Amino acid sequence: MSRIPVQVRDATPEDAGALLAVWGDFRRTSTERAGSAEREASHAVARIAADPDQRLVVGVLEDVIVGAAPLLRAPLSPIHTDTAIHVTHLHVLGGHRRHGVGKALIEAAVTWGEEKDTSHLL
């Protein structure tokens, strides 16, 4: 079985709609709410991109965002000064699981940890 190559890249504010799809079934009762949620997500992605201790990476298959994971460089624990890369809310859309997307997102976290001279991944 051949796998489609997974691309991993940083999320951009333009990815807000796709990120909403990845992280939940947002039942939109009005077009006003839909636009509001997308604006909020877009602002959140921009805020994360501006923080050198955070990244939001997306997994892309055939030009479609099918997974995402926020990464945070923070203390290893409340009592340690060593830092770790914290991976939270990693999610891959149901129809795209078992195609290497999650693995690619974790590999991106490991690579970023190496770039940040951080040897722990949580």
Side-chain angles (χ1 to χ4, degrees):
M1 174 165 95
S2 65
R3 290 185 183 223
I4 300 168
V6 178
Q7 293 178 308
V8 175
R9 63 171 174 77
D10 288 300
T12 65
E14 292 77 26
D15 297 328
L19 291 167
L20 288 171
V22 167
W23 276 313
D25 179 17
F26 289 79
R27 298 188 202 292
R28 296 179 176 146
T29 57
S30 70
T31 56
E32 180 180 327
R33 175 64 188 131
S36 175
E38 199 159 321
R39 275 191 304 279
E40 289 174 16
S42 179
H43 290 300
V45 173
R47 178 183 42 77
I48 291 167
D51 186 337
D53 288 326
Q54 292 190 69
R55 280 183 77 190
L56 178 55
V57 292
V58 293
V60 181
L61 285 175
E62 297 180 335
D63 296 323
V64 176
I65 293 173
V66 297
L71 312 177
L72 172 67
R73 185 175 62 156
L76 180 62
S77 79
I79 61 170
H80 291 92
T81 57
D82 289 349
T83 59
I85 301 300
H86 297 254
V87 181
T88 63
H89 302 91
L90 187 150
H91 186 68
V92 177
L93 291 173
H96 300 283
R97 294 182 185 147
R98 305 195 57 78
H99 294 282
V101 178
K103 179 179 179 180
L105 293 169
I106 292 295
E107 286 175 358
V110 169
T111 299
W112 190 54
E114 291 169 348
E115 291 169 5
K116 294 289 190 176
D117 199 28
T118 300
S119 59
H120 303 282
L121 181 72
L122 301 174

